[in-house]
Amino acid sequence: MSAKGSVISPARAIALEVLRGVRERDAYANLLLPVLLDRRKPSREDAAFATELAYGTLRLAGRYDAIIARAAGRPIENIDPPVLDVLRLGAHQLLALRTARHAAVHQAVEQAREVAGRGASGFANAVLRRVGERDDAAWTAVLVEGIEDRYERAALATGHPVWVVRELDAALITMADGGSDLDALLEVDDAAPPVGLVALPGLADRGDLVDAEGLPLRPHRLSPIGVELDGGDPGRLPLVASGVVRVQDPGSQLAALALSRARPVRRGERWLDLCAGPGGKAALLAAEARIGGAELTSNEITPARAGLVEQALAAVPGSHSVEIGDGRRFGPGDRRFDRILLDAPCSGLGALRRRPEARWRKRPEDLPALAALQGELLDAAVAALAPGGLLAYVTCSPVIAETTAVVAAALLRHPGLRALPTAPIVDAVSDRRLQDAERGTAVQLWPHRHGTDAMFIQLLTLR
């Protein structure tokens, strides 16, 4: 935190505190930043600048580290972490934003002085002046010179770990069109996404949102209940404050609607959201269940996240059952449900644009344990599904090991389980044909194709 009387701009001070929280406490930037903005109450312009500084720097941290190492003439491991945070912020301003060079360098020098003393300020000045000698394209040419592997080149150019680039390309190749648009995906991953909003059916209408004054709102082109916001604070909208409009990616909206609208709802149906935290899809399913006369049970393993589910459901009239426990316990139980949503814990590699630090926290060795858990949860969901019922297996990851491989293995383990062609159902929900979304019998959404997170959606049924 900058000291009283500091010359550091409020936006830069907030952004640096976000970077420090992510580094020191493994904080989530999208949770920490709103707290800091509420506490410091900067101007609207400073809040927007702090958001771009923090999120943009975190997204491209690996790329900036490679540039800083070249400019400093030393490995980043030999740079004090607090100073490295300052250098990353400075590099982002010099290479990605239209910040005046003298302002970016001067502010970084002052921040380095505050976090590490006078010696660090001189070091920051020298390094950032070298960084500023080239533009972003010129630095890309320097970084990729002599590198032949296309994945390594793409990783350095776009600020992704190499293994993530490989996994994303492998998933794209499994699309019906044999996806060859990796570069477009990586580019979108590095851009700030619009804020997605959902108008809970029967409780709000997105037309009311689009007509709201003072905010650049527009209907999402695929979700019939979704709206996008390019800038500003959605909390200013009364419907958001009341809970009947929620922040939610349109891909998540389509995943929930694929389950609730795949066929007409019979009054008295029993629905289950197996891994419901933090509650966004549960709230949407509860609104849909209320319209059709169904009953929803939401399950979450951790008490804190179960509390978030209860908060999300509070906006939907009626009584809602929220249970706390491991979702795998539904397997040996005797309860049966007509529709089940399994939004499985996953790597989150389909939501990198919304979770700026996530790409640097995940490791390829995380995937086997995640896939094993996903398979066990899917087995439990199949066991809890009534004959003829509908099950939606959903992840916010396109990775093969977490998506098609999990479903294929479950189909082998459960002879009565059948994968339903999901694309026609999502097309019907959207009232338009999704282009380039078919992945076998599943739907795979992509940020660069559909303007959503990379959600995998596979509907299943029991014979």
Side-chain angles (χ1 to χ4, degrees):
M1 181 184 298
S2 56
K4 185 176 180 180
S6 169
V7 298
I8 306 302
S9 73
R12 291 180 176 90
I14 291 170
L16 186 60
E17 188 161 352
V18 172
L19 265 62
R20 183 167 68 239
V22 169
R23 174 176 52 81
E24 293 182 348
R25 307 191 304 276
D26 283 335
Y28 293 98
N30 65 328
L31 300 181
L32 175 58
L33 178 61
V35 172
L36 294 176
L37 293 177
D38 183 64
R39 184 183 303 161
R40 307 285 181 80
K41 294 182 170 41
S43 68
R44 188 176 302 178
E45 292 75 16
D46 278 337
F49 188 36
T51 300
E52 171 51 38
L53 273 179
Y55 289 178
T57 301
L58 288 168
R59 284 190 193 98
L60 297 172
R63 172 176 167 79
Y64 293 145
D65 286 354
I67 292 171
I68 290 166
R70 295 286 188 108
R74 68 180 73 171
I76 60 165
E77 292 79 12
N78 294 343
I79 300 175
D80 288 343
V83 177
L84 181 58
D85 288 340
V86 172
L87 294 176
R88 287 169 172 167
L89 279 178
H92 186 61
Q93 294 170 70
L94 291 169
L95 300 177
L97 304 180
R98 296 180 180 178
T99 307
R101 177 176 172 179
H102 67 87
V105 174
H106 173 70
Q107 289 278 290
V109 167
E110 291 301 319
Q111 285 186 301
R113 190 192 318 277
E114 285 194 1
V115 301
R118 185 174 298 275
S121 67
F123 175 69
N125 182 58
V127 170
L128 289 177
R129 289 190 181 279
R130 293 190 194 105
V131 170
E133 290 172 357
R134 295 183 172 94
D135 64 14
D136 194 56
W139 272 114
T140 295
V142 169
L143 294 179
V144 303
E145 184 179 5
I147 296 176
E148 300 296 330
D149 184 272
R150 76 182 186 98
Y151 294 120
E152 292 182 22
R153 292 174 66 90
L156 285 168
T158 64
H160 288 73
V162 177
W163 77 272
V164 171
V165 176
R166 293 182 188 276
E167 290 289 352
L168 293 176
D169 193 47
L172 277 168
I173 292 170
T174 66
M175 298 296 292
D177 64 355
S180 58
D181 46 353
L182 174 65
D183 290 344
L185 170 60
L186 298 178
E187 182 179 350
V188 169
D189 265 353
D190 288 342
V195 177
L197 298 172
V198 59
L200 296 182
L203 301 171
D205 188 281
R206 72 172 180 177
D208 297 334
L209 285 170
V210 174
D211 294 336
E213 287 188 25
L215 290 175
L217 292 157
R218 64 178 181 276
H220 190 268
R221 59 191 176 93
L222 297 180
S223 172
I225 55 174
V227 171
E228 289 185 316
L229 172 63
D230 284 324
D233 179 12
R236 290 170 50 199
L237 296 168
L239 292 176
V240 173
S242 70
V244 296
V245 170
R246 298 183 53 81
V247 174
Q248 187 177 64
D249 180 77
S252 294
Q253 299 167 31
L254 290 173
L257 294 179
L259 178 65
S260 64
R261 300 187 180 182
R263 62 191 184 200
V265 180
R266 302 186 314 274
R267 183 163 296 277
E269 279 189 5
R270 300 180 67 192
W271 295 6
L272 172 65
D273 186 350
L274 192 61
C275 301
K281 295 184 188 70
L284 177 49
L285 286 177
E288 289 277 281
R290 174 176 173 266
I291 293 171
E295 298 177 1
L296 174 69
T297 297
S298 300
N299 180 76
E300 174 54 43
I301 191 170
T302 64
R305 284 171 64 87
L308 295 177
V309 176
E310 291 177 341
Q311 291 176 25
L313 292 173
V316 182
S319 60
H320 308 288
S321 173
V322 178
E323 299 183 9
I324 301 174
D326 191 320
R328 289 172 288 190
R329 77 185 189 282
F330 284 89
D334 57 3
R335 287 187 288 175
R336 296 293 177 265
F337 297 88
D338 300 291
R339 304 190 198 212
I340 299 177
L341 173 65
L342 171 52
D343 183 12
C346 69
S347 65
L349 295 188
L352 295 182
R353 59 188 188 144
R354 297 192 188 280
R355 302 168 188 170
E357 73 282 350
R359 67 187 72 181
W360 309 113
R361 283 182 170 168
K362 304 298 182 181
R363 298 289 181 269
E365 51 268 27
D366 298 338
L367 295 179
L370 279 170
L373 174 60
Q374 290 156 356
E376 292 168 4
L377 286 167
L378 187 48
D379 287 343
V382 172
L385 188 64
L390 287 173
L391 164 60
Y393 177 75
V394 175
T395 64
C396 59
S397 167
V399 173
I400 292 172
E402 302 182 89
T403 55
T404 53
V406 171
V407 172
L411 291 170
L412 289 175
R413 291 194 301 272
H414 303 281
L417 189 64
R418 182 167 63 92
L420 296 173
T422 305
I425 294 170
V426 177
D427 288 348
V429 166
S430 298
D431 197 25
R432 60 182 296 171
R433 189 176 187 280
L434 272 68
Q435 297 296 319
D436 307 323
E438 291 188 34
R439 188 177 178 190
T441 56
V443 161
Q444 178 65 66
L445 302 173
W446 295 99
H448 64 301
R449 295 185 179 189
H450 309 109
T452 71
D453 289 344
M455 302 295 294
F456 175 84
I457 310 167
Q458 176 65 73
L459 291 176
L460 302 142
T461 190
L462 273 178
R463 295 185 182 93

